[in-house]
Amino acid sequence: MIGSKGSKMLKLLVAGAFAVSATIVPISSSFGDTPRLGARCTDEGINTGTTSRSLICQKNSNGQLRWARVKLSTSGQTPVGALRAPAGSIEFHHWRGEDKAVFDSIISKFAAANPGVKITQVIKDSNSYQATALTTIRRNPKAAVFTTFRGGQFNDFFKAGMVADITEQRFVKNNVIQSALTPATVSGKVYGIPYQSLFNNPLYNADMFAKKGWKVPRNWTQLLAFCRTAKADGIIPFAWPAATRGNAGQILNSFLMNSAPNVATLEQRIADIESGRADLTSAWFRDMANKYKQMNDAGCFPNNVTGYNDSVAPVDFATGKAAIYPTGSFGISTVTRANPEMRGKIKMFGMITTDDKPLYEGITNNTFILSVNARATSRDQQIARAFMSFLAQASIAQEYAIGTSQHVSIVNVDYSANVDLLNVSDIMGKNLLLAPRFLFLNVAQVRDPMEDALIAIGGGADVTKTLSDASAKIKQNLGK
């Protein structure tokens, strides 16, 4: 657990790296200069959080580093209150079943503030939601507010004309951290609010590591050595839920993170696979796939991992059977619900898959994109906008964040009541990359078979044959 002094520093910086998702500016750990408007500072880019009074260290017109007011939202203005909603009923579609109770509480408050309004949650598991949400919601105009995953799913909803333009809404301009809006922005127009600021890095049992004297792996050699040590001690090193593709794919972000000399090269490599100009047998991809095999060979994963799902994995981690749960910050609430005694014992590390100096040290992401159904009636859209504006209130966003152990993209949220949010926040001081897994926009035809191949290899399948077969399937899917 973090000491009181460290906790105070993290409270200061807990959301400071949300802008990392757009600017990739690491936060310094130096606190030599007391933050005061106009005062001298030394660590350019560091800021004091995500409140309306937060400061950022930046160069002034004379080129001197000074504390200045940070512009968090698009407007830089004071957050606005929630809109009023007319009477009526709508549905709220999403995949976060673990958040149902918290949303029930929030919806009750919204209904009390807006008499005659009823909102019904419609929840599917993440895999089903990715596969069927577009079809379901397109046929159901009562699904007036819904969520999408960043990347391929949001892109599909946008191309289908399902997401309404909310650019000019004052709660969008004033209440949402500007950098977080990027995944829902197309040609300068905003079509949703990515509500969650995630960190897609492995969670580890800090209490277990301390008691056993284990060091957190800092490079590839150390990671494989840790797996052998933990396995020999009867502990599952990585509770990797390989049978649940949605969460099994989270470690792909870490493998992609340092697989290219720069982001532009990585983006081009992924674009080449999506277009059919290259396939999974490419040297760089094969090298990444071989590392999945090396993890299997080192005993990093449970036995028969391809049948190991995300119902079992977080429970094994929560009950001390596993040392690491390699998903992300969004998994904390599931773990602590399975075992409340895990509160305060969960930390996070960047999974480095190279022995060279890494380009990036961890993953960040903005997702759970809240959008208004463009095909809903005008009244239902009005209710949906009002509900989204309610979720964008600092007190409500804070209730969601504390209740779900999930950082959010809303200005003025205080995380200090949740020790787990503070304990994973040291990842924010690293050089973070916006989750590259979601650069694969063609989910069904390209990303799914690609991830299935990596899962099979992580389960011990032959690398050459598996990549060759998956490449042929993708080529067929693309009509090449």
Side-chain angles (χ1 to χ4, degrees):
M1 291 179 61
I2 295 174
S4 60
K5 183 177 180 181
S7 291
K8 288 178 182 177
M9 291 181 177
L10 282 173
K11 288 175 188 177
L12 182 71
L13 291 172
V14 68
F18 286 159
V20 166
S21 62
T23 62
I24 316 182
V25 177
I27 294 178
S28 167
S29 59
S30 171
F31 290 84
D33 304 304
T34 302
R36 189 177 72 255
L37 187 63
R40 173 182 169 275
C41 56
T42 57
D43 296 307
E44 186 173 11
I46 192 172
N47 69 56
T48 62
T50 57
T51 73
S52 301
R53 299 183 60 79
S54 294
L55 304 176
I56 186 169
C57 182
Q58 63 183 27
K59 290 181 180 178
N60 61 16
S61 58
N62 296 322
Q64 302 169 323
L65 287 175
R66 292 288 187 269
W67 287 108
R69 191 78 71 202
V70 63
K71 181 184 176 183
L72 294 169
S73 63
T74 305
S75 68
Q77 302 299 311
T78 302
V80 298
L83 299 170
R84 298 288 295 176
S89 63
I90 64 170
E91 295 174 0
F92 171 32
H93 287 234
H94 66 90
W95 67 85
R96 291 275 298 180
E98 59 268 49
D99 296 352
K100 183 181 185 302
V102 175
F103 273 130
D104 279 340
S105 173
I106 291 171
I107 289 169
S108 294
K109 292 181 175 68
F110 179 71
N114 296 274
V117 170
K118 180 181 179 182
I119 297 181
T120 302
Q121 295 188 69
V122 178
I123 307 171
K124 296 181 179 179
D125 67 84
S126 60
N127 282 346
S128 297
Y129 197 87
Q130 290 191 79
T132 65
L134 177 57
T135 301
T136 300
I137 294 170
R138 183 157 44 187
R139 294 173 179 172
N140 179 16
K142 293 305 291 184
V145 61
F146 56 81
T147 59
T148 56
F149 288 86
R150 170 187 158 234
Q153 189 177 52
F154 173 80
N155 192 52
D156 289 343
F157 271 76
F158 175 78
K159 289 190 296 184
M162 292 295 298
V163 287
D165 181 356
I166 56 173
T167 309
E168 298 304 319
Q169 296 295 318
R170 291 182 67 207
F171 68 88
V172 175
K173 293 181 176 182
N174 293 23
N175 296 37
V176 185
I177 297 169
Q178 183 178 8
S179 63
L181 290 169
T182 301
T185 302
V186 182
S187 301
K189 298 289 186 181
V190 180
Y191 295 91
I193 295 175
Y195 201 55
Q196 298 179 343
S197 284
L198 310 179
F199 301 96
N200 310 56
N201 307 283
L203 303 173
Y204 71 94
N205 186 329
D207 190 56
M208 177 187 291
F209 269 67
K211 288 178 178 177
K212 293 184 176 294
W214 293 340
K215 300 289 187 181
V216 176
R218 302 298 182 192
N219 59 35
W220 184 238
T221 296
Q222 290 177 13
L223 186 147
L224 296 179
F226 161 76
C227 289
R228 297 185 187 100
T229 297
K231 187 177 177 69
D233 201 7
I235 301 293
I236 298 170
F238 281 73
W240 182 42
T244 306
R245 186 196 290 141
N247 269 341
Q250 295 301 340
I251 64 170
L252 174 60
N253 287 304
S254 297
F255 280 104
L256 288 169
M257 181 169 67
N258 292 299
S259 66
N262 51 57
V263 174
T265 300
L266 178 60
E267 289 174 342
Q268 187 59 57
R269 286 174 174 177
I270 291 173
D272 286 345
I273 289 175
E274 288 225 304
S275 68
R277 289 191 296 270
D279 63 27
L280 306 188
T281 64
S282 300
W284 76 274
F285 196 92
R286 182 183 176 85
D287 179 65
M288 187 172 67
N290 277 326
K291 290 178 177 177
Y292 277 77
K293 182 67 161 57
Q294 288 176 49
M295 287 189 74
N296 177 275
D297 292 344
C300 294
F301 304 137
N303 296 329
N304 302 313
V305 67
T306 55
Y308 187 76
N309 64 32
D310 209 23
S311 296
V312 180
V315 175
D316 279 353
F317 177 66
T319 55
K321 294 179 181 178
I324 294 171
Y325 180 41
T327 55
S329 56
F330 51 87
I332 294 173
S333 62
T334 302
V335 173
T336 55
R337 190 164 51 250
N339 180 12
E341 292 185 5
M342 280 294 286
R343 291 194 179 98
K345 299 177 181 178
I346 302 169
K347 293 199 71 175
M348 175 177 282
F349 73 101
M351 182 174 153
I352 307 299
T353 60
T354 178
D355 285 333
D356 297 326
K357 181 178 174 58
L359 186 63
Y360 295 102
E361 300 170 283
I363 298 296
T364 186
N365 194 24
N366 294 106
T367 189
F368 203 68
I369 302 174
L370 295 160
S371 293
V372 176
N373 188 340
R375 299 190 182 187
T377 66
S378 59
R379 174 178 286 268
D380 287 354
Q381 287 190 40
Q382 189 176 350
I383 297 172
R385 287 193 298 271
F387 181 55
M388 286 175 59
S389 74
F390 192 73
L391 292 173
Q393 302 303 302
S395 61
I396 298 302
Q398 185 169 313
E399 178 181 346
Y400 176 81
I402 300 305
T404 64
S405 294
Q406 177 58 64
H407 297 96
V408 292
S409 60
I410 306 303
V411 174
N412 286 344
V413 173
D414 179 4
Y415 300 98
S416 59
N418 188 313
V419 66
D420 292 312
L421 290 179
L422 294 178
N423 276 2
V424 303
S425 296
D426 50 1
I427 195 72
M428 296 177 181
K430 307 296 184 181
N431 197 19
L432 305 180
L433 176 66
L434 187 64
R437 176 192 183 204
F438 301 100
L439 291 171
F440 286 93
L441 297 178
N442 191 337
V443 176
Q445 294 179 314
V446 178
R447 197 180 85 189
D448 283 354
M450 177 267 293
E451 289 189 341
D452 288 345
L454 293 174
I455 289 168
I457 291 167
D462 180 77
V463 175
T464 299
K465 184 178 188 307
T466 302
L467 294 184
S468 179
D469 290 348
S471 294
K473 183 174 182 178
I474 290 172
K475 183 180 293 187
Q476 182 180 23
N477 289 346
L478 295 175
K480 298 292 184 179

